Amino acid sequence: MKEKIVDVKDLSGGYTFQRSKRNLRSESEYEARSWRQTLKENLRNYRFVTLFYGFIMMLMAGTLYGFSAYAPTMKDLLGYSQTEVSLIGTFGNLGIYCAFTMGFFYDKFKHRITIPLGIFLIGTGYLLTGLVVNGYIPGPAWLIILFYIMVGQGSYGLNISSLDVNIKNWDASDRGKVTGLLAGGFGLSSGMFTLIYSENFTENLAWFFYFMTITISVVAAAGIFILKPQPAVPKEVVSVSQTPGALEDEPLIGEDVPSVPKMTEYNATTFQMVKTLTFWLIYIAFLVSAGVGLMVINNIGSVRLTLGGKKGDSLQNISVILLSLFSFFGRLTFGFLSDRFQKKISRIFWLGLADLIIALTHLTFYIFPAENTMYILAAGTGLGYGGVMASVGTLVSLLFGTLHLGTNYGVVLTAPAVGTAGFGFMASQLYEMQISGENANCYGDQCYSLTFMLTAIANLMGGAAAFYLIVHHRRMLRKRADQF
């Protein structure tokens, strides 16, 4: 009698294989497996819900990017200098990007514990800032800096919770799109909250902080229960040092190595990661592009004022919103393109391209500083910065694995922290050097002229580091292929 052959669909990978029904122990066992298979496939479809809400969580996590929209108002209300205002924005970003501590916490306790901690830090930071603005608490600049560090740390908690859960829910071939979409939500946040601020809270900054406290807390709290890891493709989890044929512990993207099984995920510890040349080249390219991007995000309102604008005018708010929209567009586009052309173009290429876009944009603004070219400054910086953020998240997860993603990504994110501290301090010092007489503010295109020349040069160097990494990566691929 001829055996009856049935197709059995793998629950996590989506592929099918044939098995003889006679090999199953019983008809009831076969039916039970089919029932479990259907149930798990339904659960797997829930990953779209998780991805959507991960995007919403990212909208809540990126509010610090909108700082420049209300920074001039905060400066006037609290009597801060431009350097103090720049330091507040810089240390807020340091809170986000010096987040390896929060990343280590996430690796230990995952999203169910990390999200409540993030809500507490963000809510407390914004609430206390609102009380300072209202005059209920004395408000020296160092105190606001402390509150913004709290907000930054909490923001990374929401960020990594959304990113890690969703990365593990999808195949590596979709990594760019997933990372780009989530990073897009993070970048779009500033535009959304800037619009809310400009339409409703320009006359009452304190209530804007209260509004953010309540909104972020409620939306993020729902994420504790909505974000759920789903069954993923079973992978052999190994460390880089255990990988057969590993050369100098240099990681490679498995999908680019024809003779290496695609179901193998290379997971590096943080110590293994920082010993590689790959890490440092990514770090350099990321440091200059993200650091410069954050410097513009924090100071674009001030740049507008130097060119004759007024506090809270339409062009200032439009510039912030435009930067946010192009950052969102850059994250989506670079994520999609890195997946679409992953077999033809190295994913590292998109990191270098993003650096060059920022360099060209800042060079243009250095040569033609004017109100009209502020649109180019905002759009170009947003596009390049968004591309960088989408590219780095994808590269870190593919090159160094997801087992220690919270800590590893947190370490890589110290690059923007270092960059924004350095470029932010440079910009504020060059700005104040141009102030004449007893004025508290600088006016004229000379206020930021030298800053944009230096940031253009820095991003050219960052792009060079990324393109050298492509050469290094291909050399390692050839050596690895020879060993298999």
Side-chain angles (χ1 to χ4, degrees):
M1 180 177 177
K2 188 175 180 180
E3 288 184 338
K4 183 177 182 180
I5 305 297
V6 296
D7 286 337
V8 180
K9 188 171 185 179
D10 179 74
L11 304 180
S12 54
Y15 55 85
T16 62
F17 59 94
Q18 291 186 329
R19 293 186 61 181
S20 169
K21 190 173 180 180
R22 184 166 47 179
N23 291 336
L24 298 175
R25 294 179 181 177
S26 66
E27 183 70 24
S28 60
E29 181 182 348
Y30 174 74
E31 292 176 353
R33 290 188 182 186
S34 298
W35 179 83
R36 289 195 300 270
Q37 177 179 323
T38 301
L39 176 61
K40 289 183 178 180
E41 283 209 349
N42 288 336
L43 289 174
R44 182 169 171 77
N45 290 333
Y46 186 79
R47 64 183 181 163
F48 289 98
V49 177
T50 297
L51 181 61
F52 170 76
Y53 209 80
F55 178 82
I56 300 298
M57 290 279 286
M58 287 293 197
L59 288 175
M60 301 297 106
T63 54
L64 280 177
Y65 281 5
F67 174 73
S68 62
Y70 57 82
T73 301
M74 177 182 284
K75 177 183 175 182
D76 290 345
L77 288 175
L78 300 179
Y80 294 154
S81 68
Q82 182 60 37
T83 297
E84 287 174 324
V85 171
S86 295
L87 285 174
I88 292 171
T90 296
F91 274 92
N93 291 323
L94 285 174
I96 297 177
Y97 296 116
C98 279
F100 50 87
T101 51
M102 182 66 77
F104 180 79
F105 183 89
Y106 176 84
D107 285 340
K108 292 293 184 183
F109 300 105
K110 301 305 178 185
H111 71 285
R112 290 288 174 86
I113 305 298
T114 305
I115 292 176
L117 177 59
I119 292 171
F120 171 78
L121 291 172
I122 296 174
T124 303
Y126 276 144
L127 176 62
L128 292 176
T129 301
L131 293 175
V132 169
V133 173
N134 259 344
Y136 297 125
I137 300 176
W142 65 264
L143 189 61
I144 300 294
I145 287 173
L146 177 61
F147 297 157
Y148 267 62
I149 291 174
M150 293 174 61
V151 173
Q153 288 281 296
S155 297
Y156 182 73
L158 303 188
N159 183 318
I160 192 61
S161 296
S162 302
L163 184 66
D164 184 63
V165 169
N166 281 287
I167 277 180
K168 291 176 179 176
N169 284 352
W170 295 81
D171 187 75
S173 61
D174 297 314
R175 189 71 52 84
K177 291 187 286 289
V178 171
T179 304
L181 177 64
L182 295 174
F186 194 80
L188 191 62
S189 175
S190 62
M192 182 180 75
F193 279 92
T194 294
L195 187 61
I196 292 172
Y197 167 74
S198 63
E199 293 296 324
N200 301 281
F201 297 102
T202 53
E203 301 300 323
N204 199 330
L205 181 59
W207 277 99
F208 179 60
F209 290 118
Y210 302 149
F211 168 79
M212 287 196 292
T213 299
I214 296 171
T215 302
I216 295 170
S217 299
V218 171
V219 174
I224 299 171
F225 309 100
I226 296 176
L227 294 181
K228 293 180 181 179
Q230 301 302 310
V233 178
K235 297 178 180 179
E236 176 190 354
V237 178
V238 296
S239 70
V240 171
S241 61
Q242 295 170 331
T243 304
L247 295 163
E248 304 171 3
D249 286 342
E250 284 292 334
L252 301 174
I253 299 176
E255 64 194 27
D256 292 337
V257 190
S259 54
V260 176
K262 291 184 180 180
M263 293 178 67
T264 299
E265 179 178 297
Y266 303 97
N267 285 283
T269 64
T270 301
F271 180 70
Q272 290 170 330
M273 178 183 71
V274 299
K275 291 194 302 181
T276 65
L277 178 61
T278 296
F279 165 79
W280 288 107
L281 290 173
I282 290 175
Y283 195 88
I284 292 170
F286 192 27
L287 184 152
V288 294
S289 55
V292 167
L294 290 169
M295 183 274 293
V296 174
I297 289 171
N298 290 334
N299 291 280
I300 196 166
S302 175
V303 174
R304 167 64 184 132
L305 293 178
T306 65
L307 297 176
K310 296 182 180 180
K311 182 180 63 178
D313 70 6
S314 60
L315 181 55
Q316 178 183 328
N317 292 330
I318 289 172
S319 297
V320 175
I321 294 172
L322 193 64
L323 196 153
S324 176
L325 290 175
F326 271 82
S327 176
F328 174 71
F329 177 73
R331 294 169 199 237
L332 287 183
T333 302
F334 276 65
F336 173 79
L337 292 176
S338 70
D339 281 348
R340 177 66 178 82
F341 297 103
Q342 60 184 286
K343 298 301 181 183
K344 298 179 180 179
I345 301 175
S346 170
R347 289 185 187 267
I348 305 165
F349 166 81
W350 306 104
L351 175 60
L353 178 62
D355 277 75
L356 295 184
I357 289 174
I358 296 176
L360 180 61
T361 299
H362 287 210
L363 182 62
T364 301
F365 192 74
Y366 167 71
I367 299 173
F368 306 106
E371 291 186 10
N372 291 336
T373 52
M374 275 203 66
Y375 294 119
I376 298 176
L377 175 66
T381 302
L383 180 64
Y385 180 73
V388 167
M389 299 306 296
S391 300
V392 169
T394 302
L395 288 173
V396 171
S397 63
L398 287 173
L399 287 167
F400 303 109
T402 58
L403 188 62
H404 308 288
L405 182 62
T407 306
N408 288 348
Y409 192 45
V411 169
V412 173
L413 283 179
T414 60
V418 174
T420 189
F423 288 109
F425 181 76
M426 177 194 75
S428 63
Q429 291 301 301
L430 293 176
Y431 172 94
E432 295 197 348
M433 286 173 58
Q434 300 298 325
I435 296 177
S436 59
E438 297 182 358
N439 292 329
N441 298 305
C442 176
Y443 299 99
D445 55 45
Q446 76 281 358
C447 299
Y448 284 99
S449 178
L450 183 57
T451 294
F452 286 108
M453 182 189 74
L454 294 175
T455 55
I457 294 173
N459 273 274
L460 287 174
M461 297 172 63
F467 288 116
Y468 175 75
L469 178 56
I470 296 176
V471 176
H472 173 70
H473 192 259
R474 288 177 177 172
R475 185 185 305 126
M476 298 303 295
L477 282 173
R478 288 194 293 269
K479 291 182 179 179
R480 179 70 57 83
D482 291 340
Q483 291 189 354
F484 277 88

